[in-house]
Amino acid sequence: MATKKLLETDVYPSDRFKVFEHSLMVEMETAKMEHEKAWGIDRVIDLVDAEFRRKVSAQRERIWEASQARDEERLDRAIKGMIAAYRALTRWATEAGIEQMPKIDCMEHRMGDGSLMVIVRDKQMATWYEQFRKASGARSIWTLAELEVVMTGPTLKQVRDIKAAIPGTTMVPVTPQGSSGFEDMPNDIDISKPFKGGKLFDTQAAERARDERRT
């Protein structure tokens, strides 16, 4: 997020307010990531009481209002308040004895349709990922055992054999390019019924000619 904002503000002539806003946002994102690294994404906020949750939500709204008003002083106060909110969430979690996020072995891949594909080691890791890494948007979580089920299917078995025989082979999507040229031809042959037409080829003559060539 910080990188994206940097690209948005790295234009000339620069917008003084946007540069100021970005510098503060980086500090807030750092505080947010430090909290989530220990406690998970949006996990503690779901555990606190309703009043605590309402105050955190109101603080986020103050940031949006100050940004819309392009008020530097209000924005500075609002973001500092949000940083304090993350520290308060961390303090609450520590005092309540909430379990910190365990180490989750996973790989994430953003697919072409925008969804997130996550590969984890086992079912326990999948459960932890769901619990500690809450996020909006479509995503699918796969364990290695589940991938094995997919990979042992008849089609992918052939792909695995090819990749084993030819190291470096990669799978790529294949999109049909154009038509075959036969789409506009009428299909006047009904293969469900015996063919009653005339004989088109003399197979016996063809076989005799083949035998003569061999002798």
Side-chain angles (χ1 to χ4, degrees), residues 114-184:
S115 63
L116 183 67
M117 179 176 68
V118 183
I119 301 175
V120 295
R121 192 179 67 219
D122 51 32
K123 187 175 181 179
Q124 179 64 70
M125 291 288 175
T127 301
W128 283 344
Y129 192 98
E130 284 281 10
Q131 179 182 2
F132 289 93
R133 298 196 181 183
K134 299 179 181 179
S136 59
R139 68 182 184 184
S140 57
I141 303 174
W142 299 79
T143 65
L144 293 178
E146 289 176 317
L147 288 181
E148 181 182 3
V149 173
V150 175
M151 297 294 289
T152 52
T155 301
L156 287 182
K157 173 64 168 58
Q158 297 178 7
V159 175
R160 287 170 48 218
D161 292 342
I162 293 172
K163 291 178 73 67
I166 311 175
T169 303
T170 58
M171 291 184 66
V172 296
V174 178
T175 304
Q177 300 294 326
S179 62
S180 65
F182 295 96
E183 285 77 5
D184 58 347

